[in-house]
Amino acid sequence: MSGLHLRRWPGNEDRPALALHCMMGNASYWGPIARDLRTSVQIEAPDLPGHGQSPDWDGGPPDYHTVVTRAVAELITRPLDLIGHSMGATVALRIAVAAPEAVRSLTLIEPVLFAAAPDAANDRLLDRIGARFAAGEAAEAARDFLAIWGGVDWESQTEAGKARLTRQIRLVQASNEALRRDSAHILRDGGLEAIDAPVLIVMGAESPPVIPAIADALAARLPDVGRARVPGAGHMLPITHPHQVAELIGLNLQRA
Protein backbone atom coordinates (compact mmCIF):
# COMPACT_ATOMS: atom_id res chain seq x y z
CA MET A 1 0.00 0.00 0.00
CA SER A 2 1.33 3.42 -0.91
CA GLY A 3 -0.06 6.93 -1.02
CA LEU A 4 0.00 7.69 2.70
CA HIS A 5 -0.86 11.28 3.54
CA LEU A 6 2.33 12.94 4.85
CA ARG A 7 2.67 15.85 7.21
CA ARG A 8 5.96 17.72 7.31
CA TRP A 9 7.12 20.52 9.60
CA PRO A 10 10.02 22.97 9.12
CA GLY A 11 13.27 21.77 10.57
CA ASN A 12 16.85 20.72 9.96
CA GLU A 13 16.67 19.30 6.43
CA ASP A 14 20.07 17.64 6.81
CA ARG A 15 18.69 15.31 9.48
CA PRO A 16 15.35 13.69 8.59
CA ALA A 17 13.15 12.03 11.18
CA LEU A 18 10.02 9.94 10.79
CA ALA A 19 7.32 9.85 13.48
CA LEU A 20 4.60 7.20 13.64
CA HIS A 21 1.37 7.83 15.53
CA CYS A 22 -0.77 5.58 17.69
CA MET A 23 -3.81 3.51 16.80
CA MET A 24 -6.96 5.63 16.25
CA GLY A 25 -4.93 8.87 16.14
CA ASN A 26 -3.33 10.77 13.27
CA ALA A 27 -0.02 12.41 12.49
CA SER A 28 -1.12 15.95 13.36
CA TYR A 29 -0.33 15.49 17.04
CA TRP A 30 3.39 15.43 16.29
CA GLY A 31 3.22 19.14 15.41
CA PRO A 32 4.25 20.62 18.80
CA ILE A 33 7.04 18.06 19.15
CA ALA A 34 8.29 18.78 15.63
CA ARG A 35 8.38 22.49 16.36
CA ASP A 36 10.35 21.97 19.56
CA LEU A 37 12.90 19.83 17.70
CA ARG A 38 13.12 21.90 14.52
CA THR A 39 16.74 22.92 15.07
CA SER A 40 17.78 19.28 15.47
CA VAL A 41 15.70 17.36 12.91
CA GLN A 42 12.99 17.76 10.34
CA ILE A 43 10.07 15.57 11.27
CA GLU A 44 7.81 13.98 8.70
CA ALA A 45 4.84 11.94 9.87
CA PRO A 46 2.39 9.83 7.85
CA ASP A 47 -1.24 9.24 8.63
CA LEU A 48 -1.26 5.47 8.87
CA PRO A 49 -3.71 3.44 6.76
CA GLY A 50 -7.28 3.96 7.94
CA HIS A 51 -6.31 7.10 9.85
CA GLY A 52 -6.39 10.82 9.16
CA GLN A 53 -6.32 11.58 5.44
CA SER A 54 -4.69 8.33 4.31
CA PRO A 55 -6.58 5.62 2.41
CA ASP A 56 -8.46 3.00 4.37
CA TRP A 57 -7.17 -0.55 4.80
CA ASP A 58 -8.90 -3.05 2.54
CA GLY A 59 -8.83 -5.85 5.10
CA GLY A 60 -5.83 -7.71 3.68
CA PRO A 61 -4.04 -9.96 3.25
CA PRO A 62 -1.46 -9.21 4.39
CA ASP A 63 -2.39 -8.33 7.96
CA TYR A 64 -2.75 -4.72 9.07
CA HIS A 65 0.57 -4.46 10.94
CA THR A 66 2.43 -5.75 7.90
CA VAL A 67 0.62 -3.33 5.59
CA VAL A 68 1.54 -0.40 7.85
CA THR A 69 5.16 -1.53 8.16
CA ARG A 70 5.60 -1.89 4.41
CA ALA A 71 4.00 1.48 3.70
CA VAL A 72 6.22 3.21 6.25
CA ALA A 73 9.35 1.42 5.03
CA GLU A 74 8.75 2.83 1.55
CA LEU A 75 9.23 6.31 3.03
CA ILE A 76 12.76 5.56 4.25
CA THR A 77 15.36 6.36 1.62
CA ARG A 78 18.35 7.02 3.88
CA PRO A 79 19.25 6.46 7.54
CA LEU A 80 17.04 8.55 9.79
CA ASP A 81 15.79 9.08 13.31
CA LEU A 82 12.73 6.91 13.89
CA ILE A 83 10.12 7.81 16.50
CA GLY A 84 6.99 5.85 17.29
CA HIS A 85 4.12 5.97 19.77
CA SER A 86 2.06 2.99 20.90
CA MET A 87 1.27 0.85 17.84
CA GLY A 88 3.49 3.19 15.83
CA ALA A 89 6.34 2.31 18.19
CA THR A 90 5.90 -1.38 17.39
CA VAL A 91 6.10 -0.60 13.68
CA ALA A 92 9.26 1.45 14.29
CA LEU A 93 10.76 -1.43 16.26
CA ARG A 94 9.83 -3.92 13.54
CA ILE A 95 11.62 -1.79 10.94
CA ALA A 96 14.67 -1.41 13.18
CA VAL A 97 14.88 -5.18 13.66
CA ALA A 98 14.52 -5.84 9.93
CA ALA A 99 16.86 -3.07 8.74
CA PRO A 100 19.02 -1.75 11.60
CA GLU A 101 21.21 0.10 9.11
CA ALA A 102 18.25 2.37 8.24
CA VAL A 103 17.87 3.71 11.77
CA ARG A 104 20.08 6.45 13.19
CA SER A 105 18.25 6.60 16.52
CA LEU A 106 15.09 4.93 17.78
CA THR A 107 12.63 6.44 20.25
CA LEU A 108 9.84 4.15 21.42
CA ILE A 109 7.02 5.89 23.28
CA GLU A 110 4.73 3.46 25.12
CA PRO A 111 5.39 0.49 22.80
CA VAL A 112 2.41 -1.90 22.97
CA LEU A 113 4.20 -5.09 21.97
CA PHE A 114 2.16 -7.11 24.45
CA ALA A 115 3.84 -10.37 23.43
CA ALA A 116 7.03 -9.14 25.13
CA ALA A 117 5.37 -9.18 28.58
CA PRO A 118 2.04 -11.04 28.71
CA ASP A 119 -0.26 -9.52 31.33
CA ALA A 120 -3.43 -11.22 32.58
CA ALA A 121 -5.34 -8.01 33.27
CA ASN A 122 -4.52 -6.56 29.87
CA ASP A 123 -5.42 -9.87 28.20
CA ARG A 124 -8.83 -9.81 29.88
CA LEU A 125 -9.45 -6.26 28.68
CA LEU A 126 -8.47 -7.05 25.10
CA ASP A 127 -10.49 -10.27 25.13
CA ARG A 128 -13.56 -8.34 26.32
CA ILE A 129 -13.08 -5.75 23.58
CA GLY A 130 -12.71 -8.52 21.01
CA ALA A 131 -15.87 -10.24 22.22
CA ARG A 132 -17.85 -7.03 21.94
CA PHE A 133 -16.52 -6.41 18.46
CA ALA A 134 -17.38 -9.95 17.39
CA ALA A 135 -20.89 -9.49 18.79
CA GLY A 136 -21.45 -6.44 16.58
CA GLU A 137 -20.96 -3.94 19.41
CA ALA A 138 -18.19 -1.96 17.71
CA ALA A 139 -19.02 1.34 19.41
CA GLU A 140 -18.92 -0.26 22.85
CA ALA A 141 -15.65 -1.99 21.97
CA ALA A 142 -14.14 1.33 20.89
CA ARG A 143 -15.31 3.04 24.06
CA ASP A 144 -13.78 0.32 26.26
CA PHE A 145 -10.49 0.41 24.35
CA LEU A 146 -10.16 4.17 24.50
CA ALA A 147 -10.98 4.34 28.19
CA ILE A 148 -7.65 2.60 28.88
CA TRP A 149 -5.50 3.23 25.82
CA GLY A 150 -6.82 6.48 24.39
CA GLY A 151 -7.42 8.83 27.28
CA VAL A 152 -10.65 9.79 25.51
CA ASP A 153 -13.93 10.78 27.14
CA TRP A 154 -16.34 8.99 24.83
CA GLU A 155 -19.33 11.14 25.74
CA SER A 156 -17.47 14.34 24.85
CA GLN A 157 -16.89 13.17 21.27
CA THR A 158 -18.97 14.47 18.41
CA GLU A 159 -21.18 12.02 16.56
CA ALA A 160 -18.73 12.15 13.64
CA GLY A 161 -15.87 11.45 16.02
CA LYS A 162 -17.67 8.49 17.57
CA ALA A 163 -18.41 7.11 14.11
CA ARG A 164 -14.75 7.40 13.09
CA LEU A 165 -13.51 5.68 16.24
CA THR A 166 -16.13 2.97 15.85
CA ARG A 167 -14.87 2.27 12.32
CA GLN A 168 -11.26 2.18 13.49
CA ILE A 169 -11.73 -0.38 16.26
CA ARG A 170 -11.49 -3.06 13.56
CA LEU A 171 -7.87 -2.01 13.05
CA VAL A 172 -7.19 -2.66 16.72
CA GLN A 173 -8.60 -6.15 16.32
CA ALA A 174 -6.63 -6.66 13.12
CA SER A 175 -3.39 -5.92 15.01
CA ASN A 176 -3.82 -8.57 17.69
CA GLU A 177 -1.75 -11.24 15.99
CA ALA A 178 1.22 -8.90 15.70
CA LEU A 179 0.96 -7.20 19.08
CA ARG A 180 -0.29 -10.01 21.30
CA ARG A 181 1.28 -13.02 19.60
CA ASP A 182 4.22 -11.46 17.72
CA SER A 183 3.22 -12.86 14.35
CA ALA A 184 5.76 -10.42 12.85
CA HIS A 185 8.60 -12.11 14.81
CA ILE A 186 9.88 -8.81 16.18
CA LEU A 187 11.08 -10.70 19.26
CA ARG A 188 12.97 -13.36 17.30
CA ASP A 189 16.36 -14.48 18.54
CA GLY A 190 19.05 -11.94 17.70
CA GLY A 191 16.63 -9.34 16.35
CA LEU A 192 16.61 -6.75 19.11
CA GLU A 193 20.27 -7.44 19.77
CA ALA A 194 21.14 -6.37 16.20
CA ILE A 195 19.91 -2.80 16.72
CA ASP A 196 23.07 -0.77 17.22
CA ALA A 197 21.40 2.65 17.20
CA PRO A 198 20.71 4.35 20.54
CA VAL A 199 17.22 3.47 21.76
CA LEU A 200 15.09 5.39 24.23
CA ILE A 201 11.89 3.96 25.72
CA VAL A 202 9.58 6.68 27.04
CA MET A 203 6.65 5.96 29.33
CA GLY A 204 3.98 7.85 31.20
CA ALA A 205 4.26 7.45 34.96
CA GLU A 206 0.50 6.74 35.09
CA SER A 207 0.35 4.29 32.19
CA PRO A 208 -1.06 0.75 32.54
CA PRO A 209 1.34 -1.63 34.35
CA VAL A 210 1.94 -3.67 31.20
CA ILE A 211 3.91 -0.77 29.69
CA PRO A 212 6.84 -0.79 32.16
CA ALA A 213 6.85 -4.58 31.94
CA ILE A 214 7.21 -4.36 28.15
CA ALA A 215 9.93 -1.75 28.59
CA ASP A 216 11.82 -4.04 30.95
CA ALA A 217 11.60 -6.96 28.52
CA LEU A 218 12.79 -4.94 25.55
CA ALA A 219 15.52 -3.11 27.44
CA ALA A 220 17.00 -6.39 28.66
CA ARG A 221 17.85 -7.28 25.06
CA LEU A 222 18.71 -3.94 23.44
CA PRO A 223 22.45 -3.15 23.31
CA ASP A 224 22.18 0.63 23.80
CA VAL A 225 19.00 1.66 25.59
CA GLY A 226 17.75 4.26 28.03
CA ARG A 227 14.39 4.59 29.74
CA ALA A 228 12.45 7.63 30.90
CA ARG A 229 9.13 8.25 32.67
CA VAL A 230 7.14 11.45 32.38
CA PRO A 231 5.48 12.38 35.70
CA GLY A 232 1.73 12.88 35.58
CA ALA A 233 1.45 11.42 32.08
CA GLY A 234 -0.50 8.44 30.79
CA HIS A 235 -0.45 6.56 27.52
CA MET A 236 -1.17 9.60 25.35
CA LEU A 237 1.80 11.64 26.53
CA PRO A 238 2.84 12.96 23.07
CA ILE A 239 -0.47 14.86 23.15
CA THR A 240 -0.71 15.68 26.85
CA HIS A 241 2.99 16.36 27.53
CA PRO A 242 4.55 17.25 24.14
CA HIS A 243 7.31 19.50 25.44
CA GLN A 244 8.59 16.93 27.93
CA VAL A 245 8.44 14.24 25.24
CA ALA A 246 10.30 16.49 22.79
CA GLU A 247 13.02 17.14 25.35
CA LEU A 248 13.52 13.40 25.87
CA ILE A 249 13.57 12.69 22.12
CA GLY A 250 16.16 15.44 21.81
CA LEU A 251 18.41 13.72 24.32
CA ASN A 252 18.27 10.52 22.30
CA LEU A 253 19.00 12.43 19.10
CA GLN A 254 22.16 13.76 20.72
CA ARG A 255 23.28 10.22 21.56
CA ALA A 256 23.25 9.35 17.85
Side-chain angles (χ1 to χ4, degrees):
M1 178 178 181
S2 59
L4 296 183
H5 178 76
L6 292 174
R7 304 171 194 256
R8 183 184 293 110
W9 292 269
N12 180 357
E13 296 181 1
D14 292 329
R15 188 165 180 182
L18 193 63
L20 309 178
H21 66 78
C22 67
M23 187 70 77
M24 302 171 85
N26 65 66
S28 66
Y29 70 63
W30 293 111
I33 292 171
R35 287 188 285 273
D36 280 0
L37 294 173
R38 63 188 179 276
T39 60
S40 300
V41 290
Q42 181 175 51
I43 289 182
E44 183 174 71
D47 288 337
L48 302 180
H51 295 79
Q53 299 179 48
S54 283
D56 202 358
W57 177 54
D58 63 10
D63 65 279
Y64 182 72
H65 201 275
T66 297
V67 165
V68 173
T69 302
R70 290 178 180 176
V72 170
E74 290 180 5
L75 302 175
I76 301 175
T77 58
R78 56 173 167 155
L80 48 65
D81 298 286
L82 195 54
I83 304 160
H85 172 218
S86 192
M87 198 277 287
T90 70
V91 173
L93 185 59
R94 183 174 179 178
I95 290 171
V97 167
E101 70 281 358
V103 180
R104 184 169 176 173
S105 73
L106 180 63
T107 302
L108 306 174
I109 305 167
E110 297 266 318
V112 289
L113 188 56
F114 301 124
D119 177 90
N122 186 60
D123 284 343
R124 287 193 296 270
L125 167 68
L126 296 179
D127 287 344
R128 184 173 72 247
I129 291 168
R132 285 197 146 181
F133 180 78
E137 301 173 358
E140 292 79 4
R143 182 188 62 201
D144 288 354
F145 176 81
L146 291 166
I148 301 298
W149 292 108
V152 170
D153 177 8
W154 182 262
E155 297 307 323
S156 71
Q157 301 298 302
T158 65
E159 290 306 311
K162 290 178 181 178
R164 172 180 57 80
L165 296 168
T166 297
R167 289 193 304 272
Q168 290 175 332
I169 193 65
R170 76 183 184 102
L171 305 178
V172 174
Q173 296 306 113
S175 301
N176 278 339
E177 286 298 313
L179 302 186
R180 300 182 67 183
R181 288 172 276 279
D182 192 30
S183 61
H185 305 295
I186 299 170
L187 299 171
R188 62 184 178 268
D189 289 346
L192 298 178
E193 291 80 0
I195 300 174
D196 59 1
V199 181
L200 176 65
I201 304 174
V202 182
M203 300 166 283
E206 299 179 5
S207 293
V210 68
I211 291 295
I214 292 170
D216 288 344
L218 298 179
R221 295 180 53 191
L222 290 163
D224 184 359
V225 62
R227 282 179 283 183
R229 289 196 185 196
V230 177
H235 184 62
M236 299 304 291
L237 65 168
I239 295 175
T240 61
H241 295 70
H243 302 302
Q244 294 94 320
V245 170
E247 183 175 359
L248 291 169
I249 294 171
L251 293 174
N252 201 41
L253 296 175
Q254 292 175 19
R255 294 204 304 131

